[in-house]
Amino acid sequence: VGVLDVLLAHGAPPAVRDSRQQSLLHAAMRAGNLETAALLLERYPEQLLIRDKWQRTAAHWAVANGQIEAVKLAAQYMQ
């Protein structure tokens, strides 16, 4: 989280995507990395709308991988 915070503070694009069109938030939610997901959601809640090449959001991946706490975190930003 510390490194990500520094990168974002120095202009790293928060919506960078990989070859599957998945964002940093997709990776954090899929893995259940709550600290990283919380940092991204606090600053860029619109990232919850980003869909990958399968039309899945980060919240979809959290559900698919049983990351219940990540799903709860995302739900706070969906209201």
Side-chain angles (χ1 to χ4, degrees):
V1 172
V3 171
L4 178 59
D5 191 34
V6 170
L7 289 170
L8 292 171
H10 286 87
V16 65
R17 297 197 199 191
D18 65 13
S19 62
R20 299 166 298 182
Q21 294 301 305
Q22 293 187 343
S23 67
L24 297 171
L25 185 60
H26 279 87
M29 296 285 284
R30 183 177 57 244
N33 185 329
L34 298 177
E35 286 183 273
T36 300
L39 173 73
L40 291 166
L41 287 169
E42 286 170 16
R43 294 184 188 177
Y44 315 102
E46 68 279 1
Q47 285 202 6
L48 279 172
L49 302 175
I50 294 174
R51 295 180 181 269
D52 62 17
K53 76 177 197 174
W54 300 283
Q55 297 304 307
R56 295 181 181 148
T57 65
H60 283 104
W61 284 105
V63 170
N65 286 281
Q67 302 296 349
I68 303 304
E69 294 304 314
V71 174
K72 290 178 184 176
L73 177 65
Q76 294 174 19
Y77 291 89
M78 292 179 188
Q79 300 174 14

